[in-house]
Amino acid sequence: MASIRYDKIPLTLEFGANTEKIIAYDCSLSQAADLQPVRAIGFRGVSEQTPQGARTSSVSFSYTPVLTGTNIINEIASGLKNSRASQTSGVSIRFGGVSGEGLLSSYSLNLAPYSPAQCSVNFELFGSGQNIPVSGELKSQTVSRSSDVQALASNVGHSAFSSFMAGQSPATISSEDSTGILQSVDYSINFEYEPVYKLGQEFPSSFLYHAATEEARVTENVHETGISFTGKNENFQLKVKSLDNNSEMQINMERAVVDNSQISAGANGIAETSKTLRSFY
């Protein structure tokens, strides 16, 4: 097989009637088999290796979100953590000719000065019934280009350094009382599922969603803001705006509690406060 350049490997997500082309920096696919060595008396070494679980695959990638149009990953994360239904469906992932259906297991967002927003996600691909987790062949594909590159660039999530230096960061976390001005944000959420297996099938027939753990670590240049160490839960809202400041993405943390708070200062620098907020669903 000839070498395939990165610009010939598109990454596309499909969920329901929505399709989204991801502006990804990287993408990796891994597969694993859960095998257990079998040893028996009268045999030297291993007589065989037998499966102890279904074959699994995972897809992980990092990307910059486009804040106009469909934002499948953010919609799934927001809807799933607030869902009371235990059964869930997966997302179709196509990566340069390879495809599979997976469940969102983790989602993180990093926002720092002078940088576009960077997200990292991981999907677990378990297959279904007799269908294997991943199918297809990695091959070079024709990639359609956006007809309006300038509009696309201005709609990506960004820390918007021009207003950040003025003390009006597009990334803010607010409580019911006040808003804190942030220097950086590291947000993450992790989901827990239980696969349901049937006799005679290698792969799960369905999945049950159980819980989610949400965390945000924020760094400020002040200490006393609406993000306070009170021991009680509050609702917090994270807003990420586009480079042109016309679009935004919201992440709502419900009943979040400040888990810890730290103040640090060093020579030739300013004092910083870092706080970690956690929510459980």
Side-chain angles (χ1 to χ4, degrees):
M1 182 181 69
S3 299
I4 304 176
R5 280 176 53 91
Y6 66 92
D7 57 342
K8 298 297 183 180
I9 308 177
L11 176 62
T12 305
L13 303 183
E14 293 182 357
F15 185 68
N18 296 322
T19 300
E20 181 180 4
K21 295 181 179 179
I22 304 296
I23 304 179
Y25 300 119
D26 53 62
C27 183
S28 62
L29 168 67
S30 62
Q31 297 177 280
D34 185 6
L35 300 176
Q36 181 71 27
V38 177
R39 303 178 188 274
I41 59 173
F43 292 91
R44 182 176 181 177
V46 177
S47 59
E48 64 174 326
Q49 296 187 53
T50 183
Q52 297 295 300
R55 288 171 288 172
T56 60
S57 301
S58 64
V59 172
S60 60
F61 54 89
S62 58
Y63 68 101
T64 289
V66 177
L67 304 187
T68 57
T70 303
N71 191 328
I72 290 178
I73 296 174
N74 189 55
E75 292 177 2
I76 291 175
S78 177
L80 188 58
K81 72 180 183 182
N82 295 306
S83 174
R84 297 298 178 264
S86 60
Q87 195 158 352
T88 185
S89 58
V91 178
S92 177
I93 305 168
R94 299 202 307 270
F95 170 44
V98 178
S99 63
E101 187 168 304
L103 300 171
L104 179 64
S105 61
S106 65
Y107 169 45
S108 63
L109 165 70
N110 172 262
L111 197 64
Y114 311 105
S115 301
Q118 292 193 25
C119 299
S120 297
V121 296
N122 187 77
F123 285 90
E124 297 292 338
L125 314 178
F126 290 97
S128 177
Q130 301 298 331
N131 298 322
I132 61 176
V134 177
S135 61
E137 178 184 354
L138 183 62
K139 57 185 177 181
S140 178
Q141 293 187 324
T142 301
V143 181
S144 60
R145 306 299 177 186
S146 172
S147 58
D148 193 345
V149 177
Q150 183 175 357
L152 179 65
S154 63
N155 288 325
V156 299
H158 204 282
S159 61
F161 55 84
S162 59
S163 60
F164 188 93
M165 295 300 293
Q168 299 174 0
S169 169
T172 62
I173 282 189
S174 303
S175 70
E176 287 85 347
D177 301 322
S178 57
T179 299
I181 304 302
L182 309 182
Q183 293 177 307
S184 64
V185 180
D186 288 295
Y187 167 85
S188 65
I189 186 168
N190 295 276
F191 299 96
E192 297 178 14
Y193 305 92
E194 178 186 354
V196 178
Y197 295 93
K198 290 182 179 181
L199 290 175
Q201 294 183 346
E202 177 185 358
F203 303 108
S205 58
S206 62
F207 295 88
L208 302 179
Y209 164 65
H210 285 314
T213 303
E214 194 174 35
E215 179 177 299
R217 185 177 185 274
V218 301
T219 303
E220 305 172 282
N221 58 1
V222 291
H223 180 58
E224 296 298 335
T225 66
I227 311 173
S228 57
F229 191 79
T230 61
K232 67 177 182 178
N233 60 62
E234 297 183 69
N235 294 331
F236 291 91
Q237 185 180 77
L238 170 63
K239 292 183 179 180
V240 180
K241 291 193 176 182
S242 59
L243 188 60
D244 60 9
N245 209 29
N246 290 328
S247 305
E248 71 177 27
M249 177 177 72
Q250 293 189 19
I251 297 175
N252 298 312
M253 296 184 65
E254 298 179 6
R255 303 180 299 278
V257 175
V258 177
D259 183 78
N260 62 67
S261 179
Q262 297 178 340
I263 300 177
S264 61
N268 299 320
I270 61 174
E272 293 183 348
T273 299
S274 63
K275 299 171 183 177
T276 302
L277 295 79
R278 287 194 177 97
S279 290
F280 299 91
Y281 300 87

